[in-house]
Amino acid sequence: MTTFIQLHILTAYAPSNLNRDDTGRPKTAIMGGVERLRVSSQSLKRAWRTSDVFEDALNGHIGTRTRRLGPEIYKQLRDKGVAEKMALSIAGKIAEQFGKLKSDKGASAEENLEIEQLVHASPEEQQQIQKLLATLITDNREANPEELNLLRANAQAVDIALFGRMLASKPEFNVEAACQVAHALGVSAVTVEEDFFTAVDDLNGKKDSGSAHMGEQGFASALFYSYICISRDLLLENLNGNEELVQRTLRALTETALTVSPGGKQNSFASRAWASYVMAEKGTQQPRALSVAFFSPVRGEDQHAQAITRLQQQQQKFTRAYGQRTEEQRYEMNVESGDGTLQELLNFVSQ
Amino acid sequence: MSRYLIFQLYASLVSWGEVAVGEVRHTATIPSRSALLGLLAAALGIKRENEQQLQLMNQHYHFAIRPLSPREQWLRDYHTVQMPKENRKRRYYTRRDELILSLEEPGTMLTSREYRCDACYHVAVQETSDAPFTLDELACALIAPVFPLYLGRKSCPPALPLNPQIIDGTLGEAFHKAYADSSYGFNCEELAAISSAQLFCVWEGEQQGVSGFATQQRGDQPVSRNRWQFTTRLQHSGYLTEEC
């Protein structure tokens, strides 16, 4: 028996262009014979997995963001009496695991231990580095490649365990995704509008007051229905049976999916939005999306309330028609009505 | 008389892989044999690496498909994938690492993925002798699957319970009975608009209650999952005979 966690999410976006096609227009799809605004599952997943929320959450909010990992390690080793050459080499090799090192010609060897970008070192990783350094100091030797590889093993699985990976040339990275994400579709019909815009030259004289640039960009607004289905069992397997990490991953994914928006045209539209309604389901029955609820588009003024009601009714209709096992569980967070909280939702999803 | 396992497939987006090597990933109008085998294997919990079990699955089931949506439409999704150049010396533990820490600027790969919108189907499965799983076992697996199910692509989750049921009769009768059965979701008001009792269907092997008008070769019979090889098979198309 596999435990599936299903999330049904409603998020309202003001006019925006979150996910574009090859002509720069917002992506759409037909549902119920009517055009809807769409955000592809790939776009959603990329926004989540590259978000700070995701990484921070997975690191328990207390990791270190630094470029100075190498110099710190070097200093520690020198303080413990390790020879300069070996200390440089060890510090360099460990720092390299996290990012590319500087290579300024004018800088000293120690300065070149700095990493070019800020990197995030989790508490687990910091601890592992300390453990490794202690061993190396006692044995008075350099680190071998396996020890270096292990340093980031914790960071490894989490997003790959969720979203999977297939690389023909690196089969060791092939992981079957434990999480399924549907394309987010608008619950109502959409008309993509064109924004005609001009940019005026700041140094225009009085005689020449025309625009220096003209363009058009598509935009539209929608209340999106997103659906996520996670196989808890596969996630546990992908994370090598680490139950604690599974719970953290589930919490992080849920929080991210509710609060992180795709990055498309954010500078033009500032279309950051948080979910306003979530229905989470947990059980072993065949998972199914509830998009049928919006098959005939939501019309009228109070789309929000209508959409919530329709989702709840669709869930009940399915239960009535197809039956439900007793162990199926449900939790709702409704921002409008004030029912449910994020913390309780995260507890429900991760338990 | 035969026994059929009949289940329904509906999702707002579906994509049935065609032979594809280039930038455009086309979709067929009806599920490929490999997609249906994959769906059953996923429900049973057979992993992709388990070549032996998958081979057995490939040999012992016939599929018939009745498309039920005359209104389905077609969508091409323009898709970019950001991808740093492969660097064998470096191990990237997360996707974020790969994009932020790669030595060279990440490049972009373009693909166009085709989908069908509003597509729905009834699928009939028939077992041959020595089949590794009985139709009842398959039905149980579809009700409580081991792996998440999807309609061609992982991003296309089913949006209706599959409602698998065993129905006796000729293929024509089985499809008619399934359509008349109110427990299938196509009879719910939301989907009434797109489902229609068209008589067109496709099938494999010898079937009763249908009359064929064409036979086609399709290249969707899996040979080896590991080597990603397929071979061809014969698929008949025609109509359900009306008297059922």
Side-chain angles (χ1 to χ4, degrees):
Chain A
M1 284 285 184
T2 300
T3 303
F4 295 102
I5 298 161
Q6 301 180 80
L7 297 173
H8 309 273
I9 304 170
L10 292 172
T11 314
Y13 279 95
S16 54
N17 190 347
L18 298 165
N19 185 206
R20 285 160 280 169
D21 68 11
D22 48 342
T23 65
R25 284 168 63 85
K27 284 184 177 179
T28 58
I30 306 287
M31 182 164 76
V34 174
E35 190 172 31
R36 317 297 181 102
L37 204 54
R38 173 171 67 98
V39 177
S40 73
S41 80
Q42 299 84 3
S43 168
L44 292 169
K45 286 187 286 188
R46 185 178 192 280
W48 299 341
R49 80 197 306 182
T50 58
S51 72
D52 289 343
V53 183
F54 195 56
E55 185 163 318
D56 287 351
L58 289 172
N59 284 306
H61 297 280
I62 42 170
T64 312
R65 242 169 239 288
T66 180
R67 297 172 54 179
R68 296 193 40 83
L69 207 57
E72 291 296 325
I73 294 169
Y74 172 76
K75 194 166 158 276
Q76 271 191 46
L77 290 171
R78 288 295 286 155
D79 288 350
K80 291 273 157 72
V82 177
E84 183 180 355
K85 207 174 153 197
M86 198 196 287
L88 276 175
S89 161
I90 293 173
K93 280 186 181 147
I94 292 178
E96 241 173 25
Q97 296 299 312
F98 292 82
K100 193 190 169 204
L101 301 188
K102 263 171 54 176
S103 56
D104 286 353
K105 277 188 189 139
S108 69
E110 194 187 330
E111 282 163 348
N112 273 335
L113 288 174
E114 281 192 18
I115 302 168
E116 281 197 334
Q117 304 93 344
L118 270 184
V119 294
H120 192 285
S122 70
E124 288 87 352
E125 285 160 351
Q126 301 269 29
Q127 278 168 19
Q128 266 179 302
I129 292 173
Q130 290 309 322
K131 242 167 77 184
L132 177 59
L133 289 182
T135 317
L136 296 182
I137 291 166
T138 320
D139 298 0
N140 193 29
R141 64 171 175 90
E142 300 233 5
N144 60 43
E146 294 86 68
E147 288 170 324
L148 291 173
N149 260 333
L150 277 176
L151 278 180
R152 302 216 51 223
N154 253 343
Q156 178 172 7
V158 175
D159 69 344
I160 292 172
L162 275 173
F163 302 124
R165 171 159 215 159
M166 203 194 104
L167 275 183
S169 58
K170 283 191 184 178
E172 75 266 25
F173 270 134
N174 284 359
V175 174
E176 184 69 33
C179 173
Q180 185 180 24
V181 180
H183 295 238
L185 291 179
V187 303
S188 59
V190 72
T191 309
V192 175
E193 296 175 76
E194 297 293 338
D195 180 28
F196 171 75
F197 65 92
T198 62
V200 178
D201 192 324
D202 284 350
L203 301 181
N204 267 354
K206 279 188 179 163
K207 282 180 187 167
D208 177 19
S209 56
S211 68
H213 174 81
M214 293 187 291
E216 268 188 335
Q217 70 178 346
F219 68 91
S221 164
L223 175 61
F224 284 99
Y225 168 66
S226 322
Y227 171 74
I228 301 172
C229 171
I230 308 144
S231 160
R232 201 183 197 285
D233 299 51
L234 189 54
L235 186 61
L236 185 66
E237 188 185 323
N238 285 352
L239 292 174
N240 305 318
N242 186 339
E243 171 64 29
E244 191 264 330
L245 193 55
V246 167
Q247 296 193 8
R248 261 204 291 161
T249 303
L250 288 169
R251 296 178 81 92
L253 173 71
T254 309
E255 186 173 346
T256 311
L258 302 186
T259 56
V260 172
S261 309
K265 288 272 181 190
Q266 285 293 357
N267 289 343
S268 309
F269 293 102
S271 39
R272 305 278 178 201
W274 287 7
S276 46
Y277 175 81
V278 187
M279 184 198 291
E281 294 179 283
K282 203 159 60 175
T284 57
Q285 217 164 341
Q286 180 229 313
R288 77 284 172 270
L290 295 174
S291 54
V292 179
F294 309 114
F295 194 76
S296 50
V298 173
R299 294 200 170 83
E301 286 188 353
D302 199 358
Q303 283 191 19
H304 220 202
Q306 271 195 60
I308 292 170
T309 312
R310 282 213 206 171
L311 263 187
Q312 292 166 333
Q313 284 174 351
Q314 192 61 51
Q315 200 269 350
Q316 288 157 12
K317 280 189 206 169
F318 277 164
T319 305
R320 196 180 328 119
Y322 299 99
Q324 190 169 58
R325 291 158 181 255
T326 45
E327 70 271 20
E328 303 288 310
Q329 294 173 286
R330 201 151 66 101
Y331 182 84
E332 284 172 86
M333 180 180 89
N334 187 340
V335 175
E336 285 299 302
S337 69
D339 294 322
T341 64
L342 179 62
Q343 276 316 314
E344 279 176 23
L345 175 72
L346 297 183
N347 291 340
F348 173 81
V349 166
S350 63
Q351 289 303 295
Chain B
M1 285 285 276
S2 277
R3 285 185 89 219
Y4 296 93
L5 164 70
I6 296 204
F7 58 90
Q8 61 188 1
L9 287 179
Y10 164 78
S12 33
L13 296 175
V14 304
S15 186
W16 309 116
E18 286 268 35
V19 177
V21 282
E23 193 187 314
V24 183
R25 321 303 285 189
H26 295 284
T27 172
T29 52
I30 53 167
S32 53
R33 184 177 156 82
S34 47
L36 294 174
L37 283 167
L39 188 84
L40 293 180
L44 291 161
I46 304 174
K47 292 205 164 180
R48 296 184 197 276
E49 306 88 73
N50 192 344
E51 187 116 340
Q52 202 189 344
Q53 279 277 14
L54 291 176
Q55 274 302 336
L56 265 176
M57 292 289 298
N58 291 352
Q59 287 160 12
H60 289 286
Y61 300 98
H62 286 311
F63 293 99
I65 302 156
R66 185 185 189 192
L68 287 170
S69 169
R71 271 176 54 180
E72 67 181 73
Q73 303 203 32
W74 173 89
L75 169 87
R76 182 174 285 185
D77 185 33
Y78 172 75
H79 180 154
T80 60
V81 186
Q82 205 174 29
M83 206 59 199
K85 279 217 183 91
E86 192 186 331
N87 178 359
R88 285 187 181 275
K89 284 190 194 142
R90 190 140 170 65
R91 252 181 107 109
Y92 298 109
Y93 289 97
T94 65
R95 177 77 172 142
R96 193 169 196 273
D97 271 10
E98 192 170 2
L99 294 176
I100 291 175
L101 307 177
S102 65
L103 294 173
E104 291 167 72
E105 284 288 295
T108 301
M109 239 166 57
L110 306 182
T111 66
S112 279
R113 304 177 171 199
E114 285 183 4
Y115 294 88
R116 300 191 74 83
C117 309
D118 287 351
C120 53
Y121 313 88
H122 272 170
V123 177
V125 188
Q126 192 185 28
E127 61 188 332
T128 60
S129 55
D130 303 326
F133 301 94
T134 64
L135 293 184
D136 300 86
E137 285 171 327
L138 294 182
C140 286
L142 290 177
I143 290 170
V146 176
F147 296 130
L149 306 178
Y150 50 90
L151 280 63
R153 284 188 183 284
K154 202 139 194 167
S155 59
C156 305
L160 276 184
L162 267 56
N163 197 29
Q165 293 186 33
I166 310 286
I167 300 183
D168 291 321
T170 66
L171 179 63
E173 283 164 359
F175 271 140
H176 277 298
K177 279 183 196 166
Y179 192 77
D181 182 343
S182 65
S183 76
Y184 284 94
F186 291 136
N187 297 329
C188 76
E189 55 188 297
E190 288 82 7
L191 289 172
I194 56 162
S195 78
S196 81
Q198 294 180 98
L199 295 174
F200 177 77
C201 70
V202 302
W203 65 89
E204 303 171 301
E206 286 293 308
Q207 299 291 353
Q208 304 296 312
V210 286
S211 68
F213 62 73
T215 297
Q216 232 186 337
Q217 250 192 4
R218 285 193 78 184
D220 59 357
Q221 163 73 9
V223 174
S224 160
R225 175 62 180 63
N226 289 344
R227 297 196 300 275
W228 205 255
Q229 278 178 331
F230 295 88
T231 185
T232 52
R233 62 171 178 116
L234 292 182
Q235 177 183 279
H236 312 290
S237 355
Y239 295 105
L240 307 183
T241 43
E242 300 223 31
E243 58 267 29
C244 302

